[in-house]
Amino acid sequence: MRALHFDGTTASLIDAAEPQRADGDAVIDVTLAGVCNTDLELTKGYMGFTGILGHELVGVVADGPAEWRGRRVVAEINFACGGCEWCARGLGRHCPTRRVMGILRADGAFAEQVAVPVANLHAVPDGVADEAAVFVEPLAAAFEILEQVRVEPGQSCIVLGDGKLGLLAAQVLHAAGADVLAVGKHAGKLAHLARRGVRTVRLDEWVRERAALVVEATGSAAGFEMAVAATEPRGTLVLKSTVAHGAPLNLAPLVIDEITVVGSRCGPFAPALAALASGAVDVGALISARRRLRDGVAAVQQAAQPGVIKVLLEP
Amino acid sequence: MRALHFDGTTASLIDAAEPQRADGDAVIDVTLAGVCNTDLELTKGYMGFTGILGHELVGVVADGPAEWRGRRVVAEINFACGGCEWCARGLGRHCPTRRVMGILRADGAFAEQVAVPVANLHAVPDGVADEAAVFVEPLAAAFEILEQVRVEPGQSCIVLGDGKLGLLAAQVLHAAGADVLAVGKHAGKLAHLARRGVRTVRLDEWVRERAALVVEATGSAAGFEMAVAATEPRGTLVLKSTVAHGAPLNLAPLVIDEITVVGSRCGPFAPALAALASGAVDVGALISARRRLRDGVAAVQQAAQPGVIKVLLEP
């Protein structure tokens, strides 16, 4: 089958063997897959990954238990062991022996087919189109904020970064009743949020007020110190970016202002699917391009261009 | 009066004017003052402070309201405005216009006398000796951990660093029922904790297990990444060190393991005084030297030597 593979140096299209279905797995025919910033990082060496890329998908179960075959599904990306103390606590996303689809010791969804544990499947409600369902994984990562931090109605909140995750986090916090100010560099991206009723400002016009809750989704090392400066004393900074590798950082303000930094990664799929079904979050405007998998290398490069939001791949 | 003054470059003994008592202030005759790592940092330029150093003291009220005159007191170090929203919320320690004794726009306690707001005074119980009461300020900083983080009885907890704050934090957490492992470089310092029933290990013999609660009190930039590595996924890292200025740091593990970092500074005096009165925390063994203020310059240098814990100054 056709697949977009990273060999540790180069991403290229290969003819891969079809995935083997192990016990407890399902094989999914991929309908659509989304390119994520993490994919771009992986192709720069992040996590030392080699294999088929891709961890955002919607598809149809081709092989697996009878009750799942033919159903339209999305799939959680952390493949947990199911038997350790973390899994017993419901924290399979932190299972120490987990594999992660397209990120850690598991092939991903930039392919015609992908194998995932049946336990990771979620059926897509009829009212949610494929073009929306493919956003469930990053939207769940935005909902993770609500799982980790108490958000009061009307609470002022600053979201830094107008990339995919920033745009989703701002919508999720807005839908949760927070008074969100989204700060970004791209007028076009911010316009999507403004149409949803979110207050927005361009970084170069921002007066740098502070808030008790700040979400750092800039994807840049400089974003962290900007986010710290935007967080009120005793406030909470939710850290979403993973790219601040080895940058010189001054942590003294965290101590002086007693700021709490909450590292935040993957999140729950159920509320993300519900928000897509209800229309509480809109993702349609976030699709910049829809490309064929055979053009996958160019599509990943396109996803890295300024102004581009989400690039979708279809086998 | 005699005072230890820092002019932005050099710490030296000066003959200073006696403090003027403003409205709402008391003037304290200093009985004992303690040298803190922050004093050492200040003499390297931290906070850009100039003035009389010192923020840990016990003394007797020489001038002030009648009900306070002649009483033995300790004093909170943040001089808040009392009128802003932060003060109204009981967070005067974060008042944006605060002065801080011996740290920020307020003369300190390495002097014969110091002026502090009456609102900052706490009477010292009769059963608490001056040599214990002088530890109230750093002990309160250790109690701040309990104010910010929920500590369950029996919860495993790692305290990194066997400096003054680490030794106090380990005792406070131990007294709160946590299962504390104190990690440090100095066998002599760790022995104080072992005598109090705290488990201890030298850094070079530590097997690097992880815990759900980690306190970073190493005072070194390298301590932060060690503390992150010692924190379990979804665990909490209490950050006490303020010296990690501009060091290259990798924050990706915070996101991947969804670690919460809680910046922690000054704390509540009341529980610290109560713990000294009850004997729940012992500070007597932490006194390395007691010097005259006239030897203050040498005393501050002595406090920076390896193996030295607390150096006290008496006018």
Side-chain angles (χ1 to χ4, degrees):
Chain A
M1 64 173 186
R2 183 176 285 143
L4 187 65
H5 182 271
F6 182 65
D7 66 3
T9 310
T10 310
S12 59
L13 223 59
I14 63 165
D15 185 15
E18 290 183 359
Q20 296 298 306
R21 187 169 77 83
D23 257 11
D25 277 2
V27 172
I28 301 171
D29 285 333
V30 177
T31 311
L32 280 174
V35 180
C36 169
N37 281 338
T38 302
D39 299 315
L40 303 173
E41 293 293 318
L42 291 168
T43 61
K44 296 174 194 162
Y46 177 58
M47 303 290 289
F49 175 73
T50 58
I52 299 172
L53 292 160
H55 58 275
E56 302 176 2
L57 86 149
V58 59
V60 175
V61 176
D63 191 13
E67 66 271 28
W68 282 102
R69 276 198 293 267
R71 294 183 75 179
R72 209 158 56 98
V73 294
V74 290
E76 299 202 38
I77 71 173
N78 293 281
F79 302 169
C81 76
C84 72
E85 64 165 316
W86 294 95
C87 291
R89 285 163 56 192
L91 289 172
R93 299 198 293 266
H94 290 286
C95 170
T97 61
R98 70 185 179 277
R99 299 178 302 132
V100 187
M101 189 200 311
I103 295 177
L104 182 68
R105 297 186 292 116
D107 279 328
F110 294 166
E112 293 174 63
Q113 290 192 322
V114 61
V116 306
V118 171
N120 287 42
L121 298 179
H122 293 257
V124 178
D126 287 343
V128 177
D130 288 336
E131 291 74 10
V134 71
F135 281 88
V136 164
E137 198 280 332
L139 183 56
F143 270 98
E144 181 72 350
I145 298 169
L146 300 185
E147 187 152 303
Q148 295 179 287
V149 175
R150 183 184 168 87
V151 177
E152 308 275 355
Q155 178 180 339
S156 54
C157 168
I158 295 170
V159 175
L160 290 177
D162 56 8
K164 292 167 277 285
L165 196 50
L167 295 176
L168 294 172
Q171 286 196 62
V172 165
L173 289 163
H174 178 68
D179 176 16
V180 177
L181 176 68
V183 182
K185 290 182 176 172
H186 307 91
K189 294 182 179 183
L190 293 172
H192 298 308
L193 293 177
R195 280 193 293 274
R196 303 289 298 177
V198 176
R199 289 188 301 127
T200 64
V201 65
R202 282 176 50 131
L203 179 59
D204 53 9
E205 293 169 353
W206 181 35
V207 297
R208 307 281 168 132
E209 66 267 52
R210 301 172 94 175
L213 178 60
V214 174
V215 176
E216 200 289 293
T218 66
S220 75
F224 180 74
E225 293 202 347
M226 195 193 306
V228 171
T231 309
E232 282 183 357
R234 287 281 185 117
T236 299
L237 191 177
V238 176
L239 183 62
K240 278 288 184 187
S241 298
T242 50
V243 297
H245 270 280
L249 296 173
N250 177 8
L251 298 183
L254 297 184
V255 177
I256 294 170
D257 284 342
E258 295 195 313
I259 289 168
T260 294
V261 178
V262 178
S264 181
R265 187 170 47 101
C266 299
F269 271 40
L273 278 167
L276 291 172
S278 73
V281 171
D282 174 62
V283 295
L286 308 187
I287 300 171
S288 299
R290 187 172 169 144
R291 312 267 313 239
R292 300 305 302 264
L293 176 57
R294 76 167 77 96
D295 303 320
V297 175
V300 169
Q301 289 166 350
Q302 181 182 0
Q305 299 307 309
V308 173
I309 310 179
K310 179 62 76 183
V311 174
L312 299 181
L313 286 175
E314 51 187 326
Chain B
M1 66 173 183
R2 183 175 287 143
L4 187 63
H5 182 271
F6 181 65
D7 66 4
T9 311
T10 309
S12 60
L13 223 60
I14 64 166
D15 184 16
E18 289 184 0
Q20 296 299 306
R21 187 169 77 83
D23 257 10
D25 277 2
V27 172
I28 302 171
D29 285 333
V30 177
T31 310
L32 280 175
V35 180
C36 170
N37 281 339
T38 302
D39 299 316
L40 303 173
E41 293 294 318
L42 290 168
T43 61
K44 295 174 194 164
Y46 178 59
M47 302 290 290
F49 176 73
T50 59
I52 299 172
L53 292 161
H55 58 274
E56 301 176 3
L57 85 149
V58 59
V60 175
V61 176
D63 192 12
E67 67 271 27
W68 281 103
R69 276 199 293 268
R71 293 182 76 177
R72 208 158 57 97
V73 293
V74 289
E76 299 202 38
I77 71 173
N78 293 281
F79 302 170
C81 76
C84 71
E85 63 165 316
W86 293 94
C87 291
R89 285 163 56 191
L91 289 173
R93 299 198 293 267
H94 290 285
C95 169
T97 61
R98 70 186 179 275
R99 300 179 301 133
V100 187
M101 189 199 312
I103 295 177
L104 181 68
R105 295 186 293 117
D107 279 328
F110 293 166
E112 293 174 63
Q113 290 192 322
V114 62
V116 306
V118 171
N120 287 42
L121 299 179
H122 292 258
V124 177
D126 287 343
V128 177
D130 288 336
E131 291 75 10
V134 72
F135 281 88
V136 163
E137 197 280 332
L139 183 56
F143 270 99
E144 181 72 349
I145 299 168
L146 300 185
E147 187 151 304
Q148 295 178 285
V149 176
R150 181 184 169 87
V151 177
E152 308 275 354
Q155 177 179 340
S156 57
C157 167
I158 295 171
V159 175
L160 290 177
D162 57 7
K164 293 167 277 284
L165 196 50
L167 295 175
L168 294 171
Q171 287 195 62
V172 165
L173 288 164
H174 178 69
D179 176 16
V180 177
L181 176 68
V183 182
K185 289 183 176 172
H186 308 92
K189 294 181 179 182
L190 292 173
H192 298 309
L193 292 177
R195 280 193 291 274
R196 303 289 297 176
V198 176
R199 288 187 302 127
T200 65
V201 65
R202 281 177 50 132
L203 180 58
D204 53 9
E205 294 168 353
W206 181 36
V207 296
R208 307 279 168 137
E209 67 267 52
R210 302 171 94 176
L213 178 61
V214 173
V215 176
E216 199 291 293
T218 67
S220 75
F224 180 74
E225 292 201 348
M226 194 191 308
V228 171
T231 309
E232 283 183 359
R234 286 281 186 117
T236 299
L237 192 177
V238 177
L239 184 62
K240 279 289 185 188
S241 298
T242 49
V243 297
H245 269 282
L249 296 173
N250 178 8
L251 299 183
L254 297 183
V255 177
I256 294 170
D257 284 342
E258 296 195 312
I259 289 169
T260 294
V261 178
V262 178
S264 181
R265 187 171 47 102
C266 300
F269 271 41
L273 279 166
L276 291 171
S278 72
V281 171
D282 175 64
V283 296
L286 308 187
I287 300 171
S288 299
R290 186 170 169 145
R291 312 267 313 239
R292 300 304 302 265
L293 176 57
R294 76 167 77 98
D295 302 320
V297 174
V300 170
Q301 290 166 348
Q302 181 182 0
Q305 299 307 309
V308 173
I309 310 180
K310 181 61 77 183
V311 175
L312 299 180
L313 287 174
E314 52 187 324

